[in-house]
Amino acid sequence: MKYVEEFQDPELAARLLDDIRATVTRPWALMEVCGGQTHSIIRHGIDQLLPDEVELIHGPGCPVCVTPLEVIDKALAIASRPDVVFCSFGDMLRVPGTGRDLFQVRGEGGDVRVVYSPLDALRIAEENPDREVVFFGIGFETTAPPNAMTVHQARARGIRNFSLLVSHVRVPPAIEAIMQSPDCRVQAFLAAGHVCSVMGTEEYPALAERFRVPIVVTGFEPLDILEGVRRTVRQLERGEHTVDNAYPRAVRAGGNPAARAMLDDVFEVTDRAWRGIGVIPDSGWRLSARYRDYDAEHRFQVGDIATLEPAECRSGEVLQGLLKPHECEAFGTACTPRTPLGATMVSSEGACAAYYLYRRLELDVTGPRRQESSVV
């Protein structure tokens, strides 16, 4: 497939690895921000092919995983109402709330539907004017524009029975929070290419300068990631800390102006809680005053929800890069994709799910064993 197979070339991967080995002289810890990058790294064994001096730390870049338990419980409360059609992407249905998930709500008679676009939910609202239709809008800067556009269209077309349960988060404030943590070991970041394709790179130079860390915008295929690592290690070895775009085929400095204009119109920046991490100032979006009538949380008055995280779940430490998934006592035993304790085991971008899917058979009591890579 064009633009995919070229970036999985084993000979080019070997050359990039040779370059990294020739460059690195001391230990470095790099964090990949995006869960999609994490899955690519684990699937292709990239972390195991890198020299021992280069450690990849998995960051909080899975949108499902960082959606706070309080918001999940609000979704469960809304979806349980007999007058509501609750629409969501499929990976949210098994994310555990306090005591149950959306699958269980559907099994109990709730009208919970899997859709593939927020516009599908808007169409359902138009076809069912006697029902309240709610779309679960979660994610980073990548999924926010289509959700914003859907609310914009609902208002323009006068579809009043549609609303959005919002849990959108922003990457730059999360990087700031990670670097301010007293337990932080991160010395550089592989920034998420798809986020930067929307928002551009304008917010990152100040972070790179303030914390003196390289930030390299990176794609998702094996060669993309290896090139991102190569550029990052080169900066670290030289004592540099700049923003470098290693994904120019998709990312421009100014991002996508139309998408950014839509975000500015529909949303406003707010503090946002991240599951397992806590509240990060200015790290999220909520509907602006002009669109507040389409806010499901406001419409259904679900502001006061008491939540309880499973004590044995350590996904918060995984999301902060403090713990590798296989180091959790519950991994693969009490916590599996069928019986998840936390969202990191459910989501298609969760680090725990990646370790379970691609390394489960390679784990023993001493940790993961080296395995052959699918890249080289």
Side-chain angles (χ1 to χ4, degrees):
M1 183 181 295
K2 190 170 180 58
Y3 302 126
V4 175
E5 292 176 358
E6 297 98 316
F7 294 93
Q8 297 181 354
D9 187 305
E11 293 184 6
L12 292 177
R15 287 165 57 184
L16 286 169
L17 285 163
D18 287 343
D19 196 327
I20 294 168
R21 294 187 191 101
T23 303
V24 68
T25 64
R26 52 169 290 189
W28 299 110
L30 288 58
M31 175 176 279
E32 83 275 2
V33 174
C34 175
Q37 292 169 334
T38 300
H39 268 252
S40 186
I41 288 165
I42 303 305
R43 176 186 178 186
H44 296 286
I46 292 171
D47 57 330
Q48 297 177 327
L49 290 168
L50 290 169
D52 292 339
E53 292 88 350
V54 179
E55 179 187 3
L56 294 179
I57 299 174
H58 314 314
C62 163
V64 174
C65 305
V66 300
T67 301
L69 182 60
E70 180 183 3
V71 174
I72 300 295
D73 284 352
K74 289 176 180 179
L76 296 172
I78 295 171
S80 299
R81 294 174 59 108
D83 58 332
V84 167
V85 178
F86 194 87
C87 299
S88 172
F89 295 140
D91 54 0
M92 292 302 298
L93 267 64
R94 198 173 286 281
V95 176
T98 302
R100 57 179 182 162
D101 57 29
L102 286 168
F103 264 129
Q104 289 173 271
V105 171
R106 186 162 72 174
E108 294 164 1
D111 193 346
V112 177
R113 306 187 191 184
V114 174
V115 296
Y116 298 94
S117 163
L119 291 174
D120 292 340
L122 188 62
R123 175 183 52 79
I124 292 170
E126 195 169 28
E127 294 172 352
N128 297 270
D130 58 331
R131 306 285 301 280
E132 288 286 340
V133 178
V134 180
F135 180 73
F136 201 177
I138 70 146
F140 289 89
E141 293 95 330
T142 47
T143 56
N147 292 342
M149 180 185 67
T150 303
V151 174
H152 178 84
Q153 286 200 14
R155 185 174 184 271
R157 293 160 58 183
I159 302 176
R160 305 292 300 173
N161 61 321
F162 174 83
S163 59
L164 189 71
L165 181 61
V166 182
S167 187
H168 281 301
V169 289
R170 303 172 57 239
V171 169
I175 290 178
E176 181 176 6
I178 289 167
M179 292 307 301
Q180 290 176 328
S181 169
D183 299 317
C184 178
R185 298 189 299 112
V186 179
Q187 296 166 294
F189 289 91
L190 303 180
H194 54 0
V195 168
C196 294
S197 71
V198 175
M199 302 301 295
T201 59
E202 296 167 355
E203 293 183 90
Y204 294 100
L207 292 170
E209 181 63 30
R210 176 182 174 187
F211 297 107
R212 303 185 68 81
V213 292
I215 300 177
V216 178
V217 179
T218 306
F220 304 90
E221 296 300 324
L223 295 189
D224 288 322
I225 293 169
L226 287 172
E227 174 63 7
V229 171
R230 187 186 72 84
R231 295 192 187 196
T232 304
V233 169
R234 184 173 58 187
Q235 281 202 50
L236 288 167
E237 290 285 340
R238 293 176 177 175
E240 299 171 353
H241 49 274
T242 63
V243 177
D244 186 8
N245 181 11
Y247 199 39
R249 70 182 186 276
V251 173
R252 302 292 180 269
N256 184 324
R260 294 179 65 175
M262 182 62 68
L263 291 171
D264 289 341
D265 177 44
V266 176
F267 290 125
E268 62 186 21
V269 173
T270 187
D271 299 345
R272 179 66 71 187
W274 295 52
R275 190 169 192 172
I277 298 175
V279 175
I280 301 178
D282 296 331
S283 67
W285 278 304
R286 65 183 178 189
L287 290 172
S288 63
R290 184 182 178 197
Y291 294 92
R292 194 61 46 82
D293 288 345
Y294 291 89
D295 186 338
E297 188 172 340
H298 174 75
R299 182 175 295 189
F300 295 100
Q301 297 296 304
V302 288
D304 297 322
I305 296 283
T307 63
L308 182 64
E309 288 277 9
E312 61 270 39
C313 179
R314 302 181 69 183
S315 61
E317 294 169 82
V318 173
L319 290 168
Q320 295 176 72
L322 303 177
L323 186 79
K324 291 290 197 295
H326 69 273
E327 295 170 340
C328 174
E329 297 83 355
F331 175 80
T333 54
C335 184
T336 71
R338 285 187 173 273
T339 59
L341 295 176
T344 49
M345 184 59 89
V346 180
S347 171
S348 60
E349 295 189 0
C352 297
Y355 272 65
Y356 189 94
L357 178 61
Y358 299 119
R359 288 186 173 174
R360 182 65 182 92
L361 298 179
E362 284 73 36
L363 290 177
D364 60 21
V365 293
T366 62
R369 297 193 293 268
R370 290 277 176 175
Q371 65 181 21
E372 293 297 322
S373 166
S374 62
V375 180
V376 298

